[in-house]
Amino acid sequence: MKEYSCQYAAEPCTRKVPIFAALSDDDLSRISAMIKHRKFTKGQPLILEGALSDTLYIIQRGHVKLSKTTPEGKEQILHILTNGDFFGELSIFNSDELSNFSAYALKDTNICMLTRTDMERLMRDNPDISLRLLKSVTKRLAHTENLAQSLATKDPEIRIAYMIMELSDKYGKQRGAHIHIDLPLSREELASYVGVTRETISRKFSRFEDSGLIELIGNKQMLIIDPAGLESYMGY
């Protein structure tokens, strides 16, 4: 697969990634020259669970899901990432680290990649990057803990309400009194995210619609009509 320097990309990812936000234009240009840029098609794996990696992956444009395979052989989605997000940071700190998840492009996606060697050099020269990485890892850990807590409840409606509000926070756009979401996942993937069957999530979506909480527009769009009503399912 063709790789080329992010330095020549129309929209360098260094300007979009929070961990590089405090750097000067000269530093950003230097980092861009180190980064390799690749395109992945929808459904293509970026990395597979259990593989060795020495790369930090930065999403320039697109959507990526991180998932694990359960002991029963089912997919459990851990995170949904989009423009400016990154993953693979644990491999930067531990050279023997195996990936504990698989990553797949949810749509045609542009990725910028930075090797461990280059990241180590950058962190030595710019200690603030290490602090920002740590903050990002901590935030992601908090998300994983919230996901585990959500999955632990036996009530699928609570889990689905939690997922909808999370998608709203990440992808929602205010449209008048409502929140519009372009759903990044299929029905089957949404079901995998909250640990239910596809039939269950379709049934619960219909119930939320009948209750005036949401409105579905085809299979890939949703309007949140009553955010407060959804939050009541989550105990807020």
Side-chain angles (χ1 to χ4, degrees):
M1 183 176 297
K2 183 179 179 180
E3 295 184 1
Y4 52 95
S5 172
C6 190
Q7 186 179 22
Y8 304 109
E11 191 178 10
C13 56
T14 50
R15 299 189 182 279
K16 300 168 61 177
V17 181
I19 59 172
F20 299 142
L23 300 183
S24 68
D25 287 345
D26 286 345
D27 284 336
L28 291 176
S29 179
R30 184 164 57 90
I31 295 171
S32 293
M34 299 177 184
I35 289 176
K36 299 301 181 184
H37 190 198
R38 287 178 60 179
K39 294 183 178 180
F40 293 82
T41 58
K42 179 179 179 180
Q44 186 176 2
L46 285 72
I47 188 171
L48 295 175
E49 187 175 354
L52 275 170
S53 176
D54 66 347
T55 302
L56 182 73
Y57 296 83
I58 303 167
I59 303 172
Q60 184 192 40
R61 181 177 293 120
H63 299 320
V64 172
K65 68 176 178 180
L66 308 185
S67 64
K68 288 181 67 69
T69 301
T70 69
E72 294 77 25
K74 297 181 179 180
E75 180 187 48
Q76 173 61 58
I77 296 176
L78 305 174
H79 300 281
I80 309 164
L81 306 179
T82 189
N83 303 350
D85 289 336
F86 60 89
F87 61 94
E89 64 277 0
L90 294 183
S91 67
I92 302 302
F93 298 105
N94 186 349
S95 60
D96 298 324
E97 187 75 26
L98 298 178
S99 178
N100 63 349
F101 56 79
S102 296
Y104 294 91
L106 290 170
K107 58 188 293 189
D108 290 351
T109 297
N110 296 341
I111 295 290
C112 296
M113 300 179 297
L114 197 60
T115 67
R116 180 190 302 115
T117 300
D118 286 335
M119 274 301 296
E120 288 174 348
R121 186 185 314 137
L122 287 171
M123 289 188 291
R124 283 196 300 268
D125 295 342
N126 303 275
D128 185 58
I129 292 179
S130 299
L131 181 60
R132 290 173 181 269
L133 265 176
L134 180 60
K135 288 180 178 179
S136 296
V137 171
T138 302
K139 184 176 181 180
R140 193 166 294 172
L141 177 60
H143 165 86
T144 302
E145 290 174 344
N146 289 336
L147 176 63
Q149 183 179 9
S150 172
L151 291 173
T153 177
K154 295 182 179 180
D155 189 336
E157 290 186 4
I158 295 176
R159 304 206 299 270
I160 293 169
Y162 176 91
M163 176 192 67
I164 293 173
M165 295 308 297
E166 181 185 358
L167 293 173
S168 172
D169 289 341
K170 197 167 185 69
Y171 300 101
K173 295 180 180 178
Q174 198 72 39
R175 297 277 180 86
H178 304 151
I179 300 172
H180 180 272
I181 305 173
D182 286 319
L183 297 171
L185 301 174
S186 67
R187 286 285 190 276
E188 187 173 351
E189 288 169 325
L190 290 171
S192 167
Y193 198 14
V194 289
V196 299
T197 65
R198 189 181 189 281
E199 291 74 18
T200 295
I201 204 162
S202 294
R203 188 168 61 250
K204 297 302 181 182
F205 274 179
S206 294
R207 179 169 180 175
F208 285 168
E209 247 189 325
D210 292 342
S211 300
L213 301 175
I214 65 172
E215 178 184 339
L216 297 172
I217 306 171
N219 289 324
K220 299 297 289 184
Q221 297 180 72
M222 176 188 292
L223 282 179
I224 300 180
I225 308 297
D226 184 5
L230 281 171
E231 289 176 351
S232 69
Y233 276 93
M234 302 158 60
Y236 293 169

